[in-house]
Amino acid sequence: MAPPMIDPALFEQLKTKIEEDTSVRKELDQILDDLNQHVSFTQGLLSRIHSTPRAKYATLLGQVEGGIKKEIETVGKLSAFASQYPYYKYNHKWTRMVQDAIATVILCAWLGGMATDSKPGEVGRLLTLENIGQAFNVPVNLKDRDAFHITVEEYLLGLIAVIDDLSRLAVNSVTLGDTAMAVQISGFIKDLHAGFQVLNLKNDILRKRVDSIKYAVKKVEDVVYDLSLRNLIPAQEAQ
Amino acid sequence: MSGFKRDWSGNAKRRDGPKPAAKQVVRNAYTPMFESLRNELDEHHDRRERIVKASRDITALSKKIIFSLQRVRKIESQLPANIQSEVDSRLAEIAKLLATIAPEIQGINRYRYARSLMCLEELVEALTFAHYLRTQTLISHAELDPTIEDLTRKGTVPEDETMADASDTAGTAEKPAPPPTAEPPTVSLTQDDYLYGVFDLTGEMMRFATTSTALTGTMAGGGSGEGDGGDDEPRTIVHDMHELGTLFEMLPVGSGNRFQWEKKLEVTRQSVQKVERLGYDRIIRGSERPKGWIPDLSADQGQGDELE
């Protein structure tokens, strides 16, 4: 008896594997739905920064931190679930959303939020990749084992989103009469821009987004130029 | 021999002298952070580069194996010797390449570089095709895994007898694998590598069915297996194609890459229908020609002697 072309068990094995994969994706989608909701909410709150004078930051950032807390919880769930499977098999499903979540945390901290016992909140504080990992309570840049973590790319892409937002804030802070803020943002963005020049980029999404930083730089430079032209730059900030 | 450049004060500039410090980057508070991130990214880019290079070579070699296999005319337990040796030497080269990238795609990195490892699909296609030509069956993922692990292991041991005759062509020693310790790392296949490789197998089977039928006048799989206990007609490649087609039709669509799946399924359907048509043509027109009749171009293969 010649064996059949396809062993009947073979079909069953393939089918089971595909079904497993599908159910993992479904479950991930549910978690990501939640995350999406919290991230959108937090982003919405943060957009109020453009119309909030600096004196009222504390209240606003308190609310934002509430949103971030939910993000952190959901990322914790995601981490627990996703760590059961090969990380990069499903990473593409959440990487955008995690980047957005990272961006909200970086921005909130830069504006003076996310204070911890050891580090008081202050305007201009940049959270590093390690800080972000601590904030979300997940590992970063994992190499030695296959589990959920935040990647270097995700951090950098999140940071670029913050740069975009800050360049907008530079304009709006001037409108609110806070010229010192615009000057500080300008210095920060220029420093980061110089920092991104240090990277060796390949022709990928990161490269594309890094290229966009120069427009943010130009935007804040224009603001600072307008200010200096009219002698509106506060004395202690002027250089 | 030509002149040399002088600097401002008239001293000759040395060609290979220490280069002036490359574009000094303005340093600020964040520079160290970016430098360390740069190192992380570089590591990743370099690794991917090495994998992509090896992958491209493995793909090319796998395609050559498939071309060799397409010169086979019928299904039998041994491939013709000349083809077998072609396949073996290509496999030996593939083994070396696999061994060089094996350490790079362990653990978390397996899926990280999955898209740079399309070569594995091609390799699966070649291996499943070879297996089909020998046994007229579809090899399973579980059976294929050890084959590939074995290949990787052979590639790691340099003085293996099968390696001896393999010509060292491509500059494979891109990054020497760490000296094999207890157990050298091996390359694992993902479910997708296997499935998409088998999708492509249907195309090769279609091509094989077409050429072998045209040149031998019989449907592959049918003639040779006679007398092994089967009282019915022996199974032909038409039947095998139907089975493969059914397999894919019945499998749930992988939700990861629905688009690619649908595309491959469509191609498979077309291949199945081409072979169907071939079977039909042979029944209709085949009755018009004596059994065993073959076209003139292969006239050396003995004349048909009896008419039915």
Side-chain angles (χ1 to χ4, degrees):
Chain A
M1 264 266 302
M5 167 67 181
I6 300 173
D7 185 347
L10 197 154
F11 170 76
E12 288 304 326
Q13 285 162 5
L14 292 175
K15 183 161 172 271
T16 320
K17 283 258 192 74
I18 295 178
E19 282 169 354
E20 273 171 20
D21 179 64
T22 307
S23 75
V24 170
R25 283 171 195 276
K26 270 193 190 143
E27 199 142 338
L28 272 176
D29 282 340
Q30 271 177 2
I31 300 177
L32 293 178
D33 262 0
D34 284 353
L35 184 57
N36 190 22
Q37 213 175 322
H38 299 319
V39 172
S40 302
F41 177 76
T42 315
Q43 281 175 328
L45 277 178
L46 266 173
S47 71
R48 283 200 189 139
I49 204 77
H50 297 289
S51 51
T52 306
R54 203 195 287 220
K56 294 186 181 156
Y57 275 9
T59 345
L60 177 61
L61 291 179
Q63 293 171 317
V64 170
E65 280 170 13
I68 288 177
K69 214 174 145 210
K70 293 232 171 85
E71 287 179 0
I72 293 171
E73 274 171 31
T74 320
V75 168
K77 275 187 214 159
L78 175 64
S79 167
F81 181 74
S83 292
Q84 304 169 47
Y85 306 97
Y87 176 77
Y88 280 104
K89 188 171 181 187
Y90 300 112
N91 166 264
H92 64 97
K93 288 185 78 78
W94 62 70
T95 183
R96 265 313 293 266
M97 228 171 280
V98 167
Q99 285 161 29
D100 289 345
I102 294 170
T104 59
V105 176
I106 296 179
L107 182 56
C108 180
W110 193 88
L111 294 167
M114 301 303 292
T116 57
D117 297 337
S118 52
K119 291 244 169 156
E122 59 168 319
V123 175
R125 181 165 69 107
L126 173 66
L127 294 187
T128 63
L129 176 57
E130 286 70 29
N131 296 149
I132 289 291
Q134 285 150 12
F136 281 102
N137 199 20
V138 293
V140 295
N141 194 24
L142 263 195
K143 289 189 255 187
D144 49 347
R145 66 200 163 90
D146 194 352
F148 184 87
H149 64 272
I150 287 174
T151 66
V152 174
E153 286 94 335
E154 282 164 354
Y155 171 73
L156 289 173
L157 289 167
L159 188 53
I160 294 169
V162 172
I163 292 177
D164 275 346
D165 226 12
L166 283 179
S167 72
R168 184 179 158 214
L169 181 61
V171 176
N172 288 319
S173 59
V174 171
T175 311
L176 291 173
D178 190 351
T179 50
M181 179 59 104
V183 175
Q184 190 173 0
I185 290 174
S186 165
F188 178 69
I189 291 185
K190 278 187 191 164
D191 280 353
L192 284 187
H193 184 236
F196 275 101
Q197 303 302 308
V198 170
L199 304 177
N200 298 321
L201 296 166
K202 293 279 175 229
N203 213 356
D204 57 6
I205 179 70
L206 187 57
R207 160 76 172 271
K208 223 164 122 186
R209 303 278 287 123
V210 168
D211 283 346
S212 76
I213 298 175
K214 58 177 178 286
Y215 300 109
V217 173
K218 180 172 187 321
K219 202 163 151 190
V220 291
E221 274 178 350
D222 284 351
V223 172
V224 172
Y225 170 75
D226 283 343
L227 292 177
S228 63
L229 204 59
R230 295 165 179 80
N231 268 331
L232 291 171
I233 294 182
Q236 74 274 19
E237 295 279 355
Q239 289 173 359
Chain B
M1 287 302 109
S2 56
F4 40 82
K5 290 190 174 180
R6 292 177 184 278
D7 66 11
W8 174 250
S9 43
N11 302 315
K13 272 187 178 174
R14 285 187 46 207
R15 268 265 167 81
D16 303 317
K19 284 187 184 155
K23 199 181 75 172
Q24 195 62 47
V25 184
V26 191
R27 297 195 71 87
N28 58 51
Y30 307 117
T31 313
M33 175 185 104
F34 279 99
E35 279 170 347
S36 85
L37 294 179
R38 173 185 61 195
N39 296 341
E40 296 297 325
L41 286 177
D42 283 354
E43 193 186 308
H44 160 63
H45 291 315
D46 293 347
R47 191 183 303 120
R48 189 173 55 194
E49 195 86 343
R50 289 192 294 271
I51 293 173
V52 167
K53 271 187 192 162
S55 176
R56 206 176 302 139
D57 291 344
I58 294 174
T59 306
L61 287 164
S62 302
K63 280 194 199 297
K64 283 182 190 156
I65 292 181
I66 292 168
F67 280 124
S68 298
L69 292 172
Q70 285 292 6
R71 290 194 280 274
V72 174
R73 290 291 163 255
K74 58 180 177 182
I75 297 169
E76 55 187 354
S77 57
Q78 284 290 317
L79 295 177
N82 60 330
I83 292 176
Q84 182 67 55
S85 75
E86 281 176 38
V87 170
D88 283 345
S89 75
R90 308 255 190 249
L91 276 181
E93 287 179 49
I94 290 179
K96 278 192 203 160
L97 291 166
L98 282 179
T100 59
I101 56 169
E104 317 259 26
I105 50 175
Q106 297 304 305
I108 192 166
N109 285 335
R110 178 60 190 84
Y111 277 95
R112 185 173 198 182
Y113 301 104
R115 266 186 302 167
S116 310
L117 284 168
M118 296 309 263
C119 62
L120 292 178
E121 255 177 61
E122 208 68 32
L123 182 58
V124 167
E125 183 182 342
L127 292 175
T128 49
F129 189 38
H131 184 86
Y132 177 78
L133 289 179
R134 278 195 299 262
T135 64
Q136 213 192 340
T137 57
L138 175 64
I139 191 171
S140 73
H141 185 178
E143 290 169 287
L144 206 53
D145 260 339
T147 314
I148 295 205
E149 279 170 23
D150 215 41
L151 264 183
T152 323
R153 233 170 269 130
K154 271 190 201 159
T156 329
V157 187
E159 55 276 293
D160 191 287
E161 59 271 26
T162 53
M163 279 329 107
D165 54 334
S167 53
D168 189 8
T169 51
T172 53
E174 169 73 17
K175 183 202 174 208
T181 47
E183 185 63 8
T186 58
V187 176
S188 57
L189 281 184
T190 66
Q191 164 107 337
D192 279 357
D193 292 334
Y194 176 75
L195 273 177
Y196 288 100
V198 177
F199 261 126
D200 294 342
L201 167 67
T202 57
E204 297 310 326
M205 283 172 60
M206 183 271 289
R207 227 159 289 155
F208 168 71
T210 314
T211 38
S212 67
T213 311
L215 294 177
T216 64
T218 54
M219 209 64 199
S224 55
E226 255 161 334
D228 55 354
D231 40 352
D232 329 286
E233 286 251 318
R235 207 173 74 223
T236 65
I237 196 167
V238 182
H239 183 259
D240 295 339
M241 285 296 281
H242 277 154
E243 274 213 51
L244 262 183
T246 313
L247 173 85
F248 282 119
E249 297 287 356
M250 282 171 68
L251 278 178
V253 182
S255 44
N257 28 21
R258 203 169 279 271
F259 178 71
Q260 204 195 351
W261 179 279
E262 299 287 355
K263 231 171 50 186
K264 293 252 182 188
L265 186 58
E266 198 44 48
V267 174
T268 299
R269 282 181 192 137
Q270 286 167 6
S271 297
V272 170
Q273 287 185 18
K274 280 181 196 162
V275 179
E276 258 170 29
R277 179 78 200 179
L278 206 62
Y280 164 86
D281 279 353
R282 222 184 64 75
I283 294 296
I284 293 291
R285 305 208 191 122
S287 61
E288 293 166 7
R289 64 186 190 192
K291 186 176 182 191
W293 180 89
I294 39 174
D296 278 345
L297 61 153
S298 49
D300 54 319
Q301 294 189 19
Q303 309 261 298
D305 42 1
E306 75 227 80
L307 290 167
E308 210 82 24

